[in-house]
Amino acid sequence: EAFRILHDDGRFLFVEKSGNLPTHPCGRYFRGTLVSVLQEALGVPTLFPVSRLDRETSGIVVFALSAEGAAEAQRARERGELSGEYLFWAHGAPCANSFDVDAPIGRIAMDGYRDFHGVSETGKPASTRFEVVRRVGRYSLLRAYPRTGRTHQIRIHASLAGHPVVGDKMYPNPSVFLRFAETGQCDLLFPRHALHAHRVRFEIRGVNYDVVSPMPADILEPSEIRDPSLTIRGPLNDPLDF
């Protein structure tokens, strides 16, 4: 299914979306977005996004049902009281069990494609914490805790660290995305990038929100990882609720 409502208390709406659904109208996507489908399903004229996800990223998207709620969530974010946790399959095996990437992110011109982002000296500050969940052969399952919310931040920082997201068409090789945009074809381990918004936590007016979305079946693990001859090291942290 395209989406599933995880929690709705009349103030905030936590929705789990699939990895093939744009969050809101943009570019060529004006109909069939998560926002438009939700508005029609719930019969509400306006939803106020607290978080956003790329079209191929699955997992939790949070909406406020009022402008006041959206403002409260934004203030919680600015105070560092709104946190998100992501899971993704990465290429390679990091040497350290945890590491940080701090690098500014901004728009970068590339073959006329105006929405490409990357590390830029003129970009905005961006910081991400990564933790290894388990290492499996040539891949690793990582957790990401973005401290800032820049466009494509996790994907850019993971690639910069030498462990790009499995299935990512744009980072570190944007030519794959350009070829996909022209032909609709690409040769990757997954049909989409294996990034999932796993958990969102914040507290507003004494109400503690802590919502979890399990890793979906389509990116549960790359097919090559299922090879029984591969040695699995880990998990290093608590088992995930797959």
Side-chain angles (χ1 to χ4, degrees), residues 2 9 16 23 26-27 32 52 73 82-83 123 135-136 148 155 160 174 176 197 211:
D9 65 355
E16 178 186 75
T23 300
C26 63
R52 294 177 172 85
L82 191 156
S83 64
R135 300 178 179 90
V136 189
T148 51
R155 297 160 58 196
L160 183 64
V176 175
V211 179

Side-chain angles (χ1 to χ4, degrees), residues 198-218:
H198 174 61
R199 188 177 191 179
V200 176
R201 289 180 285 184
F202 60 90
E203 182 178 338
I204 292 179
R205 295 189 182 182
V207 179
N208 182 47
Y209 297 92
D210 188 349
V211 179
V212 172
S213 167
M215 196 87 153
D218 67 329

